[in-house]
Amino acid sequence: MSAAGKPLFAPWHVALVLAAAAAGVWLILPDDAQLLDGLVRDGSYVEARRVLGKLSPAARARRAAHYRALELRLTRLETRPRDPLAFDAAWRAAATAWRETAFDGEVFLELAPLVPALPDPVAAWNLIAPDFSRAPEKQRARLAADFVRAALAANQPATAAAIFSLAHPAPRATADALELARLWQLAGRAPEALAALGDDPAPAARRVELLRATNRNRDALALLAALADAAPDRAPDAALAEQIAATGLAAGQAAEAAALVARYVEKNPADLAAARRLRALHLAAGQLAPALAPARAAVTLGARHPDDVREL
């Protein structure tokens, strides 16, 4: 009080000072989310769960996805690495939260790290498959890549192929088509591998391999002939000539294959293996007269090897 008996500060002055002090304390103290993040970082999982459990519904509602992600993180960090039942439960909780929060980014960051440790990638994938196409593209790409690796690690290449196909629908880039064909081939499913290539003309070598694997040797020879005829002024190279010879014999079209291999032999008269292949094609086609020239070449190039002399 002053000498005149009046207070030094008016009541509103005191109220203003107290309000400022309270605001300062509020700014210094961490909010619930910051406190929880700090507890999780420090490994204080029990205390973090206690604080999380005391949050009011109104506080949770303000940052619902964030607190849901924190719960999932605590579950993930507390799950023992070799506990398949616990991992399955953690995955189901994370998948449900991911769907219910409309594929929230924070929740996704707690879902994705579980994939490599999943005991059954097929069952885990089936749980999220109905929602997969509605997720953001970046999330789909990461999940697909992680699940393909997990399925292959679990020796489930057919699952890996099915997931890759869903993540990379047709029409596909050549690299994606080749990868999908590779996965189906790993699964022993050549027809699906061939279908994965679609109408892309680029992966011709893989297409020939798959056509032969499905016993479609005539189609394979037609494709090889097209490759050879793509440069009519140039003879097929050695590898292509060898493929043509083997495929022609398998397709029962030795005469057609002989005509193509003859172009290579004409440009490479010192190639003993090619001369022998051409001789075999002519003989398989019943073309005895045309077989004579490569048979003689084989005898000369092979230093009169008994097998070559016998075929003469």
Side-chain angles (χ1 to χ4, degrees), residues 142-153:
R142 177 173 173 183
L143 274 179
D146 288 349
F147 262 102
V148 166
R149 282 191 292 269
L152 289 175

Side-chain angles (χ1 to χ4, degrees), residues 60-290:
R60 273 181 173 271
R62 281 194 293 271
R63 299 188 64 184
H66 178 74
Y67 290 127
R68 195 87 179 264
L70 271 176
E71 286 179 326
L72 295 171
R73 191 180 313 163
L74 284 169
T75 299
R76 177 170 59 84
L77 293 171
E78 291 170 335
T79 301
R80 294 190 300 277
R82 297 193 186 334
D83 188 341
L85 290 177
F87 260 101
D88 182 67
W91 174 256
R92 289 178 179 279
T96 300
W98 184 56
R99 181 179 64 254
E100 290 179 351
T101 58
F103 316 109
D104 177 80
E106 280 190 273
V107 172
F108 176 76
L109 291 178
E110 303 308 323
L111 174 83
L114 293 169
V115 175
L118 290 170
D120 186 352
V122 175
W125 171 256
N126 288 339
L127 194 63
I128 66 164
D131 305 305
F132 182 78
S133 62
R134 296 189 292 116
E137 184 178 354
K138 286 185 178 180
Q139 293 185 13
R140 293 200 310 271
R142 177 173 173 183
L143 274 179
D146 288 349
F147 262 102
V148 166
R149 282 191 292 269
L152 289 175
N155 197 28
Q156 297 172 334
T159 298
I163 293 169
F164 189 92
S165 177
L166 190 61
H168 302 274
R172 301 179 182 90
T174 296
D176 290 339
L178 284 169
E179 176 60 11
L180 181 56
R182 182 186 76 86
L183 292 171
W184 280 124
Q185 207 165 4
L186 282 175
R189 291 165 62 170
E192 285 89 342
L194 186 60
L197 297 179
D199 298 324
D200 190 341
R206 179 62 63 85
R207 191 184 298 279
V208 168
E209 178 187 345
L210 293 169
L211 284 168
R212 295 208 59 193
T214 52
N215 204 30
R216 293 172 58 185
N217 291 297
R218 287 177 175 267
D219 292 335
L221 183 61
L223 179 54
L224 289 169
L227 291 173
D229 291 339
D233 298 331
R234 190 172 68 248
D237 62 26
L240 180 56
E242 182 179 358
Q243 267 195 306
I244 289 171
T247 307
L249 289 172
Q253 293 180 293
E256 292 85 341
L260 296 168
V261 175
R263 285 167 46 190
Y264 172 79
V265 171
E266 184 181 356
K267 298 288 186 182
N268 299 273
D271 189 329
L272 172 60
R276 286 171 172 166
R277 287 190 196 101
L278 182 55
R279 178 191 65 199
L281 287 168
H282 281 310
L283 290 175
Q287 299 172 333
L288 300 183

